[in-house]
Amino acid sequence: MQTSASSSQYLNGFSRVTVLPGLLIGAASLLMLAGCNSKAGAQAPGQGAPQAVPVPVVEVQPKPFELTFEYPAQISGVREVEIRPRVSGIIEKRLFEEGGRVKQGQSLYKLDNAPYETALAKALADQKTADVQAAQAKRDFNRIEPLIASKAVSQAEYDNAKSAVELAQANQAVAASRVREARLNLGYARVESPVSGYVSRSLKTEGSLVTGPQDLLTTVTQVDKVYANFGMPEGDNTTLREGLANGNIQLDKGGLKVEILNSEGKPNGMQARLAFQDVRVNTSTGTVDARALFDNKNDALSPGQFVRVRVSGAVEKNTILLPQRAVIESPMGGKIVMTVDKDSKVAPRPVKVAQWSGDQWVITSGLNAGDKVITDGYIKTPPGTPVAPQMQAAGNANKQAAPAAAPAAKQ
């Protein structure tokens, strides 16, 4: 079952229906007549007992009901990456079309790399020098090493030769690291995209000097998958949490389902499972942050776009549903229904409602299984009026009473 949102106003995640003025007037009349029930039912001397008025009723029967909630949501890319240079330099060329699609590893900017090519050449020369010095130190040590046993050289000369080898090897390692650094800097002169997606406008033009990571060049948003971020009202979250805790609510296999709705309030075919739900309540909004991850290979959704989502997949085991026509506004606030008591007389009953599904209200309190609720004719049958209940099937509860019953209600 699905929740209708087209003719309702949302409050704390649930909808409230606009009641026809006639129902308000009728409810007021009922309560005004309630104080003179004995007079309304009294008969003149010599007359018999009042005739029971036929009224259509439905018998309350709790049944499973799928809870659905609708919320506004905003789309964001699964990854939104800031493109920043890792080295300083002059931008020689922009290598992408603003607003276009780019691939992972694609070069977006080319910086002036002449200084980095020069630095690499110097590092390579220093590395070669270090290699030559290390080779010479090794040869000197190889000549001295056999002489130490015959004491042809002193221990100090041997130690100096060995230290020279170790120092030359250390210089080799330093030179090699400088070569790697120079190669990295030369590579960083080409600024690449770390993800595939759409690139935004360029914040720097050719000829601009960038000094390193502190300069933002552009952003790339990955949109093959997107998040729908929304806030779940605290009341809805509490209903789900408490229902799951006491066993009155069960989740579908896979958890809560989230659907994107189109402009007409109908699912557009994009579905996902709830990917994240915070345990904290946002103190500024009174909602619980949540989001779902959607496949967006056809680029149907754009980052920053506002949409509406429907959350479903939670089934309440024992839910009371009543036709909307059976629930009326009370002049003193709240909602009431007209029931048939054990003496077959009309008795008002205050109820609490949550949301409505199709043409039925979801009743959260005020009624029990087996109660009989009048669905039509209650304006002509004030509280205390004897009635003859005419049972209706649940599927016909929102239809007008049968023609045969209508004249009887107009006493």
Side-chain angles (χ1 to χ4, degrees):
M1 302 181 72
Q2 294 182 341
T3 305
S4 173
S6 59
S7 61
S8 59
Q9 298 176 342
Y10 281 83
L11 180 62
N12 293 330
F14 294 125
S15 58
R16 298 185 61 191
V17 70
T18 303
V19 181
L20 295 175
L23 292 181
L24 287 173
I25 297 173
S29 301
L30 291 174
L31 293 177
M32 291 172 63
L33 290 172
C36 54
N37 288 341
S38 59
K39 294 181 181 180
Q43 300 296 316
Q47 292 184 353
Q51 183 181 2
V53 179
V55 290
V57 300
V58 290
E59 185 174 346
V60 173
Q61 292 295 342
K63 59 182 179 180
F65 172 70
E66 183 178 24
L67 299 174
T68 58
F69 310 97
E70 293 184 12
Y71 309 115
Q74 188 172 21
I75 303 301
S76 66
V78 68
R79 295 178 69 187
E80 297 180 356
V81 182
E82 295 181 342
I83 305 300
R84 298 177 181 271
R86 300 191 181 188
V87 294
S88 62
I90 302 294
I91 298 177
E92 284 191 342
K93 192 172 183 180
R94 173 167 60 85
L95 304 174
F96 64 91
E97 191 70 28
E98 292 179 317
R101 180 180 280 276
V102 296
K103 296 181 179 179
Q104 182 178 3
Q106 178 178 334
S107 294
L108 303 181
Y109 295 90
K110 181 180 181 300
L111 304 183
D112 178 17
N113 61 2
Y116 301 108
E117 288 180 340
T118 302
L120 176 59
K122 182 177 183 304
L124 289 171
D126 291 343
Q127 184 182 38
K128 187 173 183 179
T129 299
D131 292 341
V132 171
Q133 291 174 345
Q136 181 61 44
K138 184 65 175 176
R139 288 193 294 268
D140 291 344
F141 178 74
N142 291 339
R143 285 194 295 269
I144 292 176
E145 187 176 22
L147 302 177
I148 190 64
S150 59
K151 296 186 178 181
V153 295
S154 65
Q155 185 66 39
E157 290 176 313
Y158 174 82
D159 292 341
N160 289 338
K162 185 176 181 180
S163 298
V165 171
E166 293 172 349
L167 181 61
Q169 290 173 343
N171 289 336
Q172 273 186 304
V174 172
S177 67
R178 287 175 178 169
V179 169
R180 288 193 297 272
E181 180 183 14
R183 290 189 191 279
L184 281 175
N185 289 338
L186 181 60
Y188 290 155
R190 294 182 69 87
V191 183
E192 299 177 347
S193 173
V195 297
S196 297
Y198 285 94
V199 62
S200 63
R201 68 184 183 90
S202 178
L203 300 178
K204 297 288 186 179
T205 61
E206 286 140 343
S208 298
L209 172 65
V210 293
T211 56
Q214 61 268 29
D215 292 324
L216 177 63
L217 300 179
T218 187
T219 57
V220 175
T221 304
Q222 184 178 347
V223 295
D224 56 340
K225 291 184 181 295
V226 294
Y227 286 119
N229 302 290
F230 59 93
M232 181 178 291
E234 185 179 0
D236 293 357
N237 183 61
T238 301
T239 297
L240 289 173
R241 187 178 65 249
E242 292 180 351
L244 291 171
N246 60 32
N248 191 39
I249 292 179
Q250 287 185 335
L251 294 182
D252 287 346
K253 185 177 181 180
L256 294 175
K257 179 176 67 175
V258 183
E259 298 174 285
I260 301 292
L261 304 182
N262 59 24
S263 58
E264 298 177 352
K266 298 180 180 179
N268 68 354
M270 302 184 71
Q271 296 183 4
R273 293 292 177 178
L274 191 68
F276 166 76
Q277 183 177 358
D278 207 339
V279 297
R280 301 169 297 174
V281 176
N282 190 319
T283 55
S284 60
T285 62
T287 61
V288 174
D289 294 335
R291 70 183 182 189
L293 179 63
F294 287 88
D295 228 342
N296 191 41
K297 293 182 179 178
N298 295 327
D299 296 342
L301 300 173
S302 301
Q305 177 183 355
F306 286 95
V307 297
R308 198 162 188 84
V309 296
R310 176 177 295 164
V311 181
S312 59
V315 178
E316 195 170 26
K317 294 180 180 179
N318 299 304
T319 303
I320 295 175
L321 300 175
L322 279 185
Q324 290 179 14
R325 292 170 53 251
V327 182
I328 58 179
E329 291 280 354
S330 169
M332 295 178 292
K335 299 187 185 308
I336 60 174
V337 297
M338 292 299 167
T339 63
V340 179
D341 63 16
K342 61 182 180 180
D343 297 323
S344 295
K345 293 183 179 180
V346 178
R349 185 86 62 86
V351 294
K352 290 184 179 180
V353 300
Q355 59 189 119
W356 48 306
S357 175
D359 53 5
Q360 292 183 309
W361 275 112
V362 176
I363 308 299
T364 59
S365 66
L367 293 174
N368 300 309
D371 287 342
K372 295 180 176 61
V373 178
I374 301 174
T375 60
D376 195 19
Y378 37 75
I379 294 179
K380 298 294 185 179
T381 53
T385 302
V387 292
Q390 305 294 312
M391 298 300 298
Q392 284 189 298
N396 298 324
N398 275 302
K399 298 180 180 179
Q400 296 292 337
K410 297 180 181 179
Q411 298 293 331

